[in-house]
Amino acid sequence: MEIHALNDTPPELFVTEVKYPEELDFLKDRFVNLDELNYLAKRFDSFCESEEKRYFGAMKHESFTELPDLINLTFNLSRYTLIRDVSDMGRIGREYLLNRDGCIPAHDDDNPKYAEIGRNLMQSGKGICTDYGLLFINEDIPFSEEYDGQVFPQYLYDTDVLFIASAEYRDRTEYLYMPCENEAITKAFGRLGAENPDDVKIIIEDFNVDNSVWFERLCELAEKESIYDVNMLAGAVNNADMDLGKLARVAEYAGVGDAVSPRKSIFKNLTSMV
């Protein structure tokens, strides 16, 4: 607000310094899309140390320097295997299968097949030297572009949400994690290219509370009412101490069927009573 940035376009800001991670220092002295950078930072938060090293090894090998490529790489780590310790062939084999397939059988460490897989990998001659270790590209796994440069792929960063809703407009889909700031909804609609919120189809896909009555109620409200009002309602009931079953019965008794108009104060009073 202070610099009078336009609200209907993704803000682009000039990077004056990169403090962490230092591998992204190529972003310095550039204008970047702040929403993309924020999304990338959230993806980084999910990485363990080994995933982070694998990511940066692959990033440097692929010469990725643009934010859309950097975002897509976070969804493609299974395409790469990074070997940092070459002293144990069995461990190498297990790491390779774990990276490629996402899982290996439990209590199977002594299986000789892992050592054979590890030796075959090391003798393949396909290892690429990086600052982080030997990088192998799992060529049977294609690189997928989850982010198209406009709408962000689904990614639940904060688990303290009541529900996830898809926002569909024409052939694109954005995701809303509610309750959220109204600005997050406006930004999502902007990325979709929708000028009128009423033109966006809202579908509640994942309800994080085991309460079918409230799930059905929110689905109905999302179809009939403004998503901004539904978001306000979600903020009112998203409380660990809230008894949603009791609230549903009280709301039915009071004849409250939506989230707006004079019912705003009614719902506020109801939630304070439960």
Side-chain angles (χ1 to χ4, degrees):
M1 292 172 62
E2 291 179 358
I3 64 175
H4 307 289
L6 295 176
N7 292 326
D8 58 350
T9 59
E12 288 202 351
L13 299 183
F14 188 75
V15 179
T16 59
E17 183 179 4
V18 176
K19 292 187 175 181
Y20 177 84
E22 62 182 16
E23 285 86 353
L24 297 184
D25 59 0
F26 53 80
L27 295 178
K28 187 176 183 294
D29 298 330
R30 287 172 48 181
F31 281 95
V32 299
N33 181 310
L34 189 60
D35 289 344
E36 290 181 343
L37 188 61
N38 188 48
Y39 187 88
L40 178 64
K42 291 178 178 180
R43 293 288 297 165
F44 277 170
D45 271 354
S46 70
F47 288 170
C48 62
E49 181 183 1
S50 62
E51 290 173 324
E52 190 174 278
K53 300 296 184 184
R54 186 162 27 129
Y55 177 89
F56 290 126
M59 180 193 78
K60 291 190 175 182
H61 169 70
E62 302 287 2
S63 299
F64 286 157
T65 60
E66 301 299 322
L67 285 174
D69 293 327
L70 298 177
I71 290 173
N72 279 319
L73 182 56
T74 67
F75 290 97
N76 284 273
L77 288 186
S78 61
R79 178 171 163 79
Y80 306 92
T81 296
L82 184 70
I83 303 301
R84 305 175 65 189
D85 183 356
V86 297
S87 64
D88 187 334
M89 293 297 114
R91 187 187 331 175
I92 291 173
R94 289 193 297 274
E95 286 184 7
Y96 169 72
L97 290 181
L98 185 60
N99 291 343
R100 189 192 68 180
D101 301 334
C103 63
I104 56 175
H107 312 297
D108 196 27
D109 292 353
D110 295 331
N111 194 319
K113 72 177 183 180
Y114 295 120
E116 182 179 358
I117 292 172
R119 278 191 294 271
N120 290 337
L121 184 67
M122 297 303 295
Q123 294 172 2
S124 67
K126 296 182 178 180
I128 303 165
C129 290
T130 73
D131 295 337
Y132 309 95
L134 276 177
L135 182 72
F136 293 86
I137 300 177
N138 306 324
E139 297 175 351
D140 56 327
I141 300 178
F143 191 95
S144 62
E145 294 191 358
E146 299 293 323
Y147 176 51
D148 63 359
Q150 182 168 341
V151 292
F152 290 121
Q154 183 175 356
Y155 176 57
L156 180 61
Y157 173 74
D158 184 0
T159 57
D160 187 25
V161 299
L162 184 63
F163 64 89
I164 301 173
S166 63
E168 300 178 358
Y169 179 71
R170 295 182 178 174
D171 60 343
R172 285 190 164 93
T173 301
E174 264 280 349
Y175 294 91
L176 306 173
Y177 310 92
M178 310 185 107
C180 61
E181 295 183 6
N182 282 342
E183 182 66 17
I185 302 174
T186 301
K187 281 177 173 286
F189 289 174
R191 288 190 293 270
L192 288 169
E195 297 182 0
N196 187 345
D198 294 337
D199 294 334
V200 180
K201 182 179 181 181
I202 304 295
I203 302 175
I204 296 180
E205 296 192 346
D206 191 5
F207 189 53
N208 291 338
V209 178
D210 186 16
N211 188 305
S212 59
V213 173
W214 265 99
F215 178 74
E216 293 176 2
R217 180 184 294 270
L218 287 170
C219 287
E220 292 174 358
L221 292 175
E223 289 182 1
K224 297 185 297 184
E225 299 192 28
S226 165
I227 190 60
Y228 293 97
D229 292 323
V230 176
N231 183 49
M232 182 191 68
L233 174 60
V237 303
N238 191 39
N239 187 315
D241 298 326
M242 179 65 65
D243 186 334
L244 291 181
K246 184 177 179 181
L247 178 61
R249 292 191 295 272
V250 173
E252 183 178 0
Y253 176 78
V256 180
D258 55 26
V260 295
S261 193
R263 276 77 64 184
K264 285 184 181 179
S265 58
I266 293 176
F267 255 115
K268 182 178 180 180
N269 292 331
L270 289 178
T271 55
S272 64
M273 293 166 52
V274 173

